[in-house]
Amino acid sequence: MELRDIEIFLTLTEELHFGRTAERLHVSQSRVSQSIKQQERRIGGGLFERTSRAVRLTPLGERLRDRLRAGYDEIISGIEEATATARGQAGTLTIGTMATQYQSIRTVLDLFRQRHPQCELRMREILPVDPFGPLRAGSIDIGILWQPVREPDLAVGPVLHSENLVLAVAAGHPLAGRHEVELEDLGDHPVVHPEGPIPDYVWEAHTPSTTPAGRPIRRGLGIATLEEALRAIADGGVVSPIGSDAASTRQRGDIVFLPITDGPVLHYAPVWRSGGETPLIRAFVQAAAEARTRPPSSPGSHTGAPRTGAASDIGA
């Protein structure tokens, strides 16, 4: 029995109509009838009861359907998996994001999974103090990073989403009673700075080194992790811009988030190793480019944030 004949038989068991089966498989109705008759002759028994009003499976046909279905599905799955592997669309793709940022790219992730079901998509967290390290170490394939990225060994894709920054201050801080702040206010208070290999130009997009009037913004305590930053901010010794996405999803009573009226806007894009581009990476970037025109499945950008809450990552 040819694979096509099995497909015709199984489709007819679902449709129970020769015309609809032929239409679904893009063959003639006579081809369907001929295939079923040939199968019945080979087997030596009727598989379907045909009347002018209906087509029904015989008990023999039901048993054959049940035995063939699992094997046919396994064959088709194997063919599809082999085809996807040959085209470079199977395997594992590891995406790195900064804490809650994966929620803002859900439309891209859903589109990619829909198109490449044979690919396993893994998510890992990137620390903002070392945005390029996991890429260069090969622990992630693509990082969703704020711009600009000007590294000769890294390629940058289309912007996926943007978010405003809010200022995180201790609940007892002099700024905590304000409804909003300006970048100029940062000239009066030390800010946290990252202790890691993040390039200065990347951090400058997050926390400027000078105010709009040209006053230097003082560096306070150095931090390596978010938890260190939150502890330092809650103690009142430093303040820090924080991504509004994170601020809107975490709450704590000892930190207040204030909108920065003229603050930076972070634009996030996929970044990957220029020399390590794979078909899966190209497929993800293609999905990213197309997903920008689709409505997001969850909020990915905020213009403000709650006045109390905990950021889940610096700049995330």
Side-chain angles (χ1 to χ4, degrees):
M1 188 180 294
E2 299 290 338
L3 188 62
R4 184 60 161 171
D5 291 323
I6 296 175
E7 183 179 28
I8 289 173
F9 168 74
L10 290 175
T11 304
L12 185 57
T13 66
E14 297 173 359
E15 297 291 346
L16 294 177
H17 191 283
F18 281 77
R20 288 196 299 268
T21 298
E23 182 178 350
R24 179 170 157 185
L25 297 178
H26 305 288
V27 298
S28 67
Q29 187 168 331
S30 61
R31 172 71 175 89
V32 175
S33 298
Q34 181 184 20
S35 174
I36 297 301
K37 289 178 182 178
Q38 288 176 346
Q39 293 178 51
E40 290 177 327
R41 284 197 299 269
R42 290 193 190 100
I43 293 171
L47 302 175
F48 296 91
E49 294 178 355
R50 308 162 179 84
T51 69
S52 58
R53 294 185 176 182
V55 176
R56 297 185 182 91
L57 275 166
T58 65
L60 179 62
E62 290 178 351
R63 289 196 296 272
L64 182 62
R65 174 199 60 193
D66 295 343
R67 294 299 298 272
L68 289 182
R69 171 54 68 186
Y72 176 80
D73 290 344
E74 186 66 23
I75 290 171
I76 296 302
S77 177
I79 292 173
E80 291 177 348
E81 183 176 340
T83 302
T85 301
R87 294 176 178 174
Q89 296 175 353
T92 301
L93 188 68
T94 304
I95 308 296
T97 66
M98 297 180 183
T100 58
Q101 290 299 317
Y102 72 91
Q103 299 174 356
S104 300
I105 62 168
R106 190 169 298 279
T107 300
V108 180
L109 299 178
D110 290 345
L111 180 59
F112 181 83
R113 287 190 176 106
Q114 176 185 345
R115 290 182 172 178
H116 307 283
Q118 302 294 340
C119 175
E120 179 184 359
L121 205 56
R122 293 180 181 174
M123 307 299 297
R124 298 193 67 177
E125 184 176 352
I126 298 176
L127 294 179
V129 298
D130 185 18
F132 306 141
L135 278 170
R136 289 170 172 151
S139 58
I140 64 173
D141 300 304
I142 297 176
I144 310 301
L145 306 176
W146 77 69
Q147 302 303 295
V149 171
R150 298 191 292 265
E151 304 294 305
D153 60 328
L154 300 178
V156 180
V159 171
L160 298 184
H161 72 102
S162 303
E163 70 167 343
N164 290 25
L165 294 179
V166 294
L167 188 65
V169 304
H173 192 276
L175 292 175
R178 302 263 295 270
H179 292 292
E180 59 187 25
V181 295
E182 300 177 351
L183 276 179
E184 197 63 35
D185 293 314
L186 270 65
D188 301 323
H189 308 278
V191 300
V192 300
H193 72 274
E195 289 186 341
I198 182 172
D200 289 342
Y201 78 89
V202 176
W203 190 248
E204 184 76 15
H206 181 285
T207 302
S209 57
T210 61
T211 69
R215 292 192 297 152
I217 296 176
R218 290 175 293 156
R219 285 188 168 190
L221 186 67
I223 56 92
T225 68
L226 169 67
E227 193 55 39
E228 291 179 6
L230 294 179
R231 284 199 297 266
I233 293 169
D235 287 342
V238 290
V239 301
S240 180
I242 298 290
S244 58
D245 280 351
S248 67
T249 58
R250 300 290 181 88
Q251 300 293 320
R252 57 186 291 170
D254 55 355
I255 292 180
V256 173
F257 294 108
L258 302 169
I260 307 174
T261 57
D262 57 347
V265 176
L266 298 184
H267 303 287
Y268 291 83
V271 179
W272 63 96
R273 298 182 303 279
S274 302
E277 185 171 302
T278 66
L280 281 177
I281 291 176
R282 289 194 293 271
F284 184 89
V285 174
Q286 178 65 28
E290 295 183 21
R292 288 187 303 168
T293 63
R294 300 189 176 193
S297 56
S298 61
S301 171
H302 303 279
T303 57
R307 288 177 50 77
T308 59
S312 63
D313 223 325
I314 298 176

